[in-house]
Amino acid sequence: MSTPTTALSTTSATGPRRRMRRTGILSAAAIAGFALTLGTTTAPVQAAELVPQTESEAEQLIEDRAAEDPDALDRDSVPEGVSVEQAKKAVGKTDELTAADVEYAAAQEDLPASGVPGDFYKTPASLPDEDGALVKQADSDFYLDPVKLIKHDAKSTTFMYKTTDEAGQARAATATLLTPKGDSGDADNAVVIAPGTQGIADQCAPSRQMGMGTEYEGLSVASALASKRPVVIVDYVGLGTEGTHHFVNRVEEGRSVLDAARAVQQVDGSEIDEDTKLQLRGYSQGGHATTAALELQKEWAPELNIASASAGAVPVDLHKTVSGLSSVYTAFALYGVVGFAEQADIDTSDFLNEKGQKMVAETADKCTVEALLSTAFTDGKSLTKNGESFTDIIDEHFTDIVDRQRLGKAEVPDVPLLVNHSRLDDVISFDQGKELASTWCRAGHKVAFEDNLGPTHVGGYVAALPRIETFTTRTFAGKAPLDSCWRL
């Protein structure tokens, strides 16, 4: 695989003219994010209704996002840390990234900051003793587009709470509560969303990005809010707040989800209480976090009233996942090995060469789309000291850590479970989703296994949304979903 070329100089393009053109580009992005950007001139109210409610609408959304012409990309529509040639190559060689995604990532660089004050994320000198205890809260915003034309009418509150990392250290984490307009009184049910991969930089936290209109999970959030129930979106330990975010760390992700569900009950204005039925939901890294939370719930937060769970494209086996990643996803592999190294107290210079260390430093400050673009088609072997693959590095240094992240070994609550996965997923192999569903079936659970033919990892995410909402509505109403165990 060839290495991405050096980014072109953009010094002369960072002024008002570039910003204005980028803003113009983004005015066409009604509901946006990582591989979910729409080219549309729809008015804001109508655009907010573009969340797919049916499978045919989901298919149309997938087609729309792939319709952009990569040859139209130029210096103004590509992130500063990526050359135009890099961007065109990435879009041309993979269906996972589109020209609209590139334009979206570029425009993020010139957007105003989130409405949440930056010092809100600073950890206080002392934290409460109890996990899930509320530390503080602040009013925030939720925009569906980066030019802030489409503000969701749900009330948005970002809050900080206390949790504990895998090493036993007290940590502050953040999350956002969205309450549908007009609701009052206690909520009968609510959805807790564990987000997909955001990056590892603090500015990539969903609570920050929702206020800027750049959160790609905005599509899933808007979909959940359409049913007029409160929604909680988790940031994860070290994402937004101080300290390292350990990418796909089972314990820290699971505790982040569970402690957010505890803390939201203490937020002023929250309609969620101990009686509220909760659905845990997530896709990709979020599916990993959701499954981890289910496995930790009995021990960590047995009092939570979990009514159902939806886990999509779950990386059950990280060794298999990393081994199967194509060079389009070098950034994801780097996130993993860097997190593993910190947990193992190993310096990355022990196995990465100078080029690899430089790429780690560069991707550490980028959110998902830009990180993928800047590392796409980089052969991992070109980043290691001895020409080893990332799989070899994991086998040599991090086997124990990767094994600890393995899912499907622990007991989960006896509630309706949904596993969704595209047969055409190019990031997390379809067999991993089927294996998780089969494991839960063998344990005696009722599992709805919803496969689809959404092209690519992101296509599977979009295609699953209507089925997730149907599953959610049925399970909150006390109706059992269709049981797929007979065919697994």
Side-chain angles (χ1 to χ4, degrees):
M1 296 289 181
S2 58
T3 303
T5 57
T6 304
L8 300 176
S9 172
T10 58
T11 303
S12 62
T14 57
R17 182 177 179 183
R18 178 178 168 100
R19 291 192 192 94
M20 288 178 65
R21 183 159 189 274
R22 284 181 163 187
T23 300
I25 291 169
L26 262 293
S27 66
I31 298 175
F34 167 43
L36 293 175
T37 332
L38 291 178
T40 178
T41 56
T42 310
V45 173
Q46 293 171 307
E49 297 173 353
L50 287 175
V51 176
Q53 301 296 317
T54 65
E55 292 186 27
S56 61
E57 290 177 1
E59 291 173 2
Q60 186 61 53
L61 177 56
I62 294 168
E63 291 178 9
D64 287 346
R65 64 168 291 272
E68 299 284 335
D69 181 7
D71 289 336
L73 294 172
D74 59 19
R75 186 60 265 162
D76 286 340
S77 57
V78 172
E80 294 178 15
V82 180
S83 73
V84 175
E85 290 77 12
Q86 265 182 283
K88 288 183 177 180
K89 179 181 178 182
V91 172
K93 293 187 69 172
T94 176
D95 292 331
E96 194 72 55
L97 293 169
T98 70
D101 302 330
V102 177
E103 293 173 345
Y104 188 87
Q108 288 184 3
E109 298 177 338
D110 293 320
L111 295 171
S114 167
V116 180
D119 60 1
F120 175 84
Y121 294 89
K122 183 176 176 60
T123 302
S126 62
L127 290 170
D129 293 333
E130 186 178 352
D131 289 306
L134 182 70
V135 176
K136 53 184 171 180
Q137 67 181 72
D139 291 339
S140 52
D141 295 315
F142 173 32
Y143 288 93
L144 289 170
D145 70 310
V147 285
K148 297 188 174 181
L149 291 177
I150 313 170
K151 182 178 181 180
H152 203 288
D153 61 6
K155 175 178 172 55
S156 180
T157 306
T158 298
F159 60 96
M160 178 181 285
Y161 58 96
K162 186 259 184 177
T163 189
T164 301
D165 65 20
E166 188 175 23
Q169 298 297 311
R171 299 283 294 274
T174 47
T176 301
L177 166 65
L178 291 165
T179 304
K181 183 178 179 180
D183 277 12
S184 60
D186 296 337
D188 292 330
N189 43 66
V191 172
V192 180
I193 295 178
T197 301
Q198 307 286 311
I200 57 176
D202 285 341
Q203 70 266 23
C204 305
S207 64
R208 294 177 184 258
Q209 294 204 70
M210 286 195 299
M212 296 185 290
T214 59
E215 175 50 53
Y216 74 81
E217 286 279 7
L219 189 69
S220 176
V221 174
S223 179
L225 283 168
S227 297
K228 301 298 182 182
R229 55 177 65 96
V231 177
V232 180
I233 305 91
V234 181
D235 283 346
Y236 301 135
V237 171
L239 196 57
T241 48
E242 295 164 318
T244 302
H245 169 56
H246 294 139
F247 184 56
V248 287
N249 178 285
R250 173 181 175 272
V251 169
E252 293 178 7
E253 287 178 346
R255 290 177 179 177
S256 292
V257 171
L258 296 171
D259 287 334
R262 287 166 150 171
V264 72
Q265 300 175 34
Q266 305 156 45
V267 171
D268 288 342
S270 173
E271 299 171 359
I272 300 172
D273 60 22
E274 66 273 10
D275 295 323
T276 300
K277 292 185 290 186
L278 303 175
Q279 181 194 79
L280 306 187
R281 177 189 299 186
Y283 186 87
S284 193
Q285 182 183 357
H288 189 277
T290 295
T291 304
L294 290 172
E295 294 185 350
L296 296 173
Q297 190 256 341
K298 183 177 181 180
E299 174 187 352
W300 193 256
E303 78 282 6
L304 291 178
N305 187 13
I306 297 176
S308 66
S310 168
V314 182
V316 173
D317 183 341
L318 292 187
H319 189 281
K320 179 184 291 186
T321 300
V322 172
S323 300
L325 285 176
S326 73
S327 59
V328 175
Y329 305 100
T330 299
F332 287 3
L334 284 171
Y335 290 159
V337 296
V338 169
F340 299 156
E342 174 151 330
Q343 294 169 75
D345 197 23
I346 295 175
D347 196 295
T348 56
S349 63
D350 289 353
F351 55 87
L352 292 180
N353 58 26
E354 185 176 343
K355 177 183 174 183
Q357 293 178 66
K358 181 181 179 182
M359 190 166 283
V360 165
E362 291 173 348
T363 56
D365 291 328
K366 294 179 172 69
C367 298
T368 305
V369 177
E370 189 175 358
L372 286 174
L373 285 170
S374 63
T375 61
F377 307 109
T378 301
D379 187 347
K381 293 180 180 179
S382 71
L383 306 178
T384 59
K385 277 189 168 181
N386 301 316
E388 300 169 293
S389 68
F390 285 134
T391 303
D392 294 334
I393 296 295
I394 291 173
D395 288 341
E396 182 177 351
H397 299 284
F398 308 126
T399 299
D400 290 344
I401 291 172
V402 170
D403 285 347
R404 291 206 303 268
Q405 315 317 321
R406 178 67 187 253
L407 300 170
K409 296 180 178 180
E411 180 183 353
V412 300
D414 188 18
V415 298
L417 302 167
L418 169 66
V419 177
N420 58 84
H421 209 141
S422 170
R423 290 180 176 272
L424 304 179
D425 195 318
D426 58 346
V427 178
I428 299 165
S429 58
F430 175 75
D431 65 288
Q432 294 197 60
K434 188 173 183 179
E435 177 188 354
L436 180 63
S438 298
T439 298
W440 283 344
C441 284
R442 288 194 297 271
H445 298 288
K446 289 187 177 180
V447 182
F449 181 62
E450 294 281 3
D451 54 344
N452 64 67
L453 294 176
T456 77
H457 186 60
V458 172
Y461 168 76
V462 177
L465 286 175
R467 300 184 187 186
I468 292 171
E469 296 308 335
T470 298
F471 170 84
T472 302
T473 299
R474 287 185 60 83
T475 54
F476 276 147
K479 299 177 181 178
L482 294 176
D483 190 355
S484 304
C485 291
W486 64 271
R487 63 182 179 90
L488 294 175

